[in-house]
Amino acid sequence: MSPQVVTIGLGYIGLPTSALIASKSTYVLGVDINQKVVDTINDGKIHIVEPDLDIIVSKAVNDGFFKASTTAVASDTFLIVVPTPFKGNHEPDISYVESATRAIIPLLKKGDLYIIESTSPIGTTEKMQDLIFQSRPELKGEMYIAYCPERVLPGNVMHELVYNDRVIGGVDKASTQKAISFYSKYVKGELHPTNSRTAEMCKLVENSSRDVQIAFANELSLICDKAGINVWDLIKLANKHPRVNILQPGCGVGGHCIAVDPYFIISDYPQESKMIGKAREVNNYKSLWCAEKIQKEKLQFEISNKRKPKIALMGLAFKPNIDDLRESPAKYITQQVLQNSNGDDYFIVEPNIESHSIIKLTEFEYAVKNADIIAFLVAHNQFKNLQFSSEKIVLDFCGVFC
Ligand SMILES: NC(=O)c1ccc[n+]([C@@H]2O[C@H](COP(=O)([O-])OP(=O)(O)OC[C@H]3O[C@@H](n4cnc5c(N)ncnc54)[C@H](O)[C@@H]3O)[C@@H](O)[C@H]2O)c1
């Protein structure tokens, strides 16, 4: 049976999306360049941590609605869900979207629907349209091209894929309508029509908005530290105002979205995006500040106790209760601290992953029991009920105990 939908990219977004579509009795071929990912999925298993996803993938594969491959085949709908990282200078890298698109151009036919879900700089969908029609001019006006960003929360993806509202922007009205009718089969949230440029910008703005708001909370945490005020108490009190809603500070901002997407605006509109740029600076600085705070605490301990402390660094993921380390401020802080370690004793803890290729991990209860200084970098649930003696020095950068 030839697939009705081909998804290109089977990662944190592409795999759950493919599985959801396949669970509605639609034949889906998921394509990934990583053979290991393809083999895992064809065995009915998953390679990422996401609640409920294993059950849905295993059923869809066993029922014959979902298959994975390293090569695409002809289909009616193509979804592009590949990474869009930034390059060394923070410029967006759309080369994955481009190579995924090039791979399917020969397979396209009249009436096909091509959708980009990858977070993309403004104008990417139009660029891909040009790429497609340069090679296949006979398809001009004969196929549908749209952009539909993903806004799910890792850890709650299977619910949010269905119930979140979606913004859908075609390169023309017919494309928007075609894409809306595609998503209406799988999504219960509202589907909001627009054009492709607005949809692209919408995704970037959503994450930039979060970044700016978190930067405000992080800035407050720096001021409060100097002023001797408990920032968590302060924010709780300020939020009693009916129109104030300050977010929680942390040890920076990470992940594939909030720490990355603002650069897609800054890079193209540097003069106009002053506040967005400043927020990125504040959030990046907060991580450095945390690393320095650990160093200072370590030196203070050495002076007071005439010996080196044992230090537990609690969490590596970019946010609580996930295994994703991409752009993680906790990982950055750990690396910074280890760089200056001089053979000190560190326990590095990440309860959501079994092992790391470079960093040696320690079991969290052992680390807490044996450390003199405990720095909480991620507010994982496993840490919330930890008991430790009052002699320990605790640096709670992410409000585990607030
Ligand atoms: N992870 C999130 O929470 C999230 C949320 C919203 C939007 N997004 C966006 O969705 C997109 C995908 O993110 P992700 O987290 O799923 O990435 P990911 O890295 O988890 O997965 C991407 C997959 O694409 C594969 N791939 C790369 N190039 C390919 C190609 N040419 N052909 C086939 N497969 C290819 C990789 O091997 C990988 O398995 C990104 O643009 C991201 O910004 C992610």
Side-chain angles (χ1 to χ4, degrees), residues 8-9 11-13 32-33 82 84 99 118-119 150 154 256 326:
I8 316 278
Y12 285 92
I13 301 299
D32 203 288
I33 46 172
V82 292
T84 41
S99 86
S118 299
T119 303
E150 189 46 73
H256 203 267
R326 290 177 297 177

Side-chain angles (χ1 to χ4, degrees), residues 96-299:
Y96 296 85
V97 173
E98 206 176 307
S99 86
T101 303
R102 282 188 196 282
I104 60 156
I105 286 177
L107 306 170
L108 294 170
K109 59 185 185 320
K110 282 184 181 183
D112 280 358
L113 172 61
Y114 163 97
I115 302 172
I116 303 176
E117 286 206 358
S118 299
T119 303
S120 301
I122 301 159
T124 303
T125 312
E126 290 168 343
K127 270 191 197 151
M128 294 307 117
Q129 178 187 35
D130 292 347
L131 200 71
I132 292 169
F133 293 155
Q134 269 161 22
S135 308
R136 303 286 309 276
E138 79 280 10
L139 290 177
K140 245 185 209 173
E142 299 287 346
M143 62 170 290
Y144 306 95
I145 297 177
Y147 181 76
C148 178
E150 189 46 73
R151 34 163 71 143
V152 290
L153 181 73
N156 195 29
V157 169
M158 294 323 296
H159 176 83
E160 296 206 358
L161 270 179
V162 177
Y163 291 100
N164 283 356
D165 284 11
R166 300 292 288 264
V167 172
I168 299 174
V171 290
D172 50 38
K173 287 211 166 107
S175 294
T176 308
Q177 275 321 312
K178 183 83 174 174
I180 284 188
S181 103
F182 170 74
Y183 283 103
S184 65
K185 291 181 227 153
Y186 314 105
V187 175
K188 295 198 170 127
E190 241 183 274
L191 304 174
H192 302 275
T194 182
N195 56 57
S196 61
R197 292 175 75 83
T198 309
E200 287 159 348
M201 177 71 166
C202 191
K203 170 71 188 173
L204 304 181
V205 162
E206 288 162 14
N207 283 335
S208 300
S209 157
R210 301 274 302 158
D211 201 43
V212 168
Q213 291 175 58
I214 297 167
F216 182 67
N218 277 334
E219 188 162 289
L220 290 182
S221 73
L222 302 177
I223 298 167
C224 284
D225 186 72
K226 237 180 192 167
I229 293 169
N230 180 315
V231 69
W232 313 98
D233 290 347
L234 170 84
I235 290 174
K236 257 184 224 150
L237 294 170
N239 283 347
K240 298 289 176 200
H241 185 294
R243 286 168 295 283
V244 171
N245 186 16
I246 304 169
L247 301 183
Q248 301 297 297
C251 62
V253 168
H256 203 267
C257 292
I258 301 181
V260 174
D261 300 354
Y263 290 120
F264 289 19
I265 300 178
I266 299 163
S267 163
D268 286 341
Y269 306 94
Q271 288 306 316
E272 295 77 14
S273 55
K274 297 269 189 301
M275 195 193 290
I276 299 173
K278 210 65 201 162
R280 282 281 66 240
E281 276 177 38
V282 170
N283 287 330
N284 286 339
Y285 173 67
K286 181 67 193 288
S287 307
L288 185 63
W289 182 89
C290 293
E292 286 173 354
K293 198 90 179 149
I294 296 167
Q295 287 301 124
K296 277 186 206 150
E297 214 54 68
K298 185 185 97 172
L299 292 175

Side-chain angles (χ1 to χ4, degrees), residues 306-336:
K306 309 278 181 287
R307 69 170 175 90
K308 286 182 177 230
K310 291 181 176 160
I311 303 176
L313 300 173
M314 305 294 285
L316 277 180
F318 81 79
K319 62 179 214 167
N321 310 320
I322 58 166
D323 67 334
D324 193 341
L325 308 190
R326 290 177 297 177
E327 307 300 324
S328 166
K331 193 174 84 177
Y332 168 82
I333 294 166
T334 301
Q335 283 163 341
Q336 282 292 115

Side-chain angles (χ1 to χ4, degrees), residues 52 182 185 224 270 337 359 373 381:
D52 303 332
F182 170 74
K185 291 181 227 153
C224 284
V337 171
I359 303 169
I373 300 174
N381 283 343

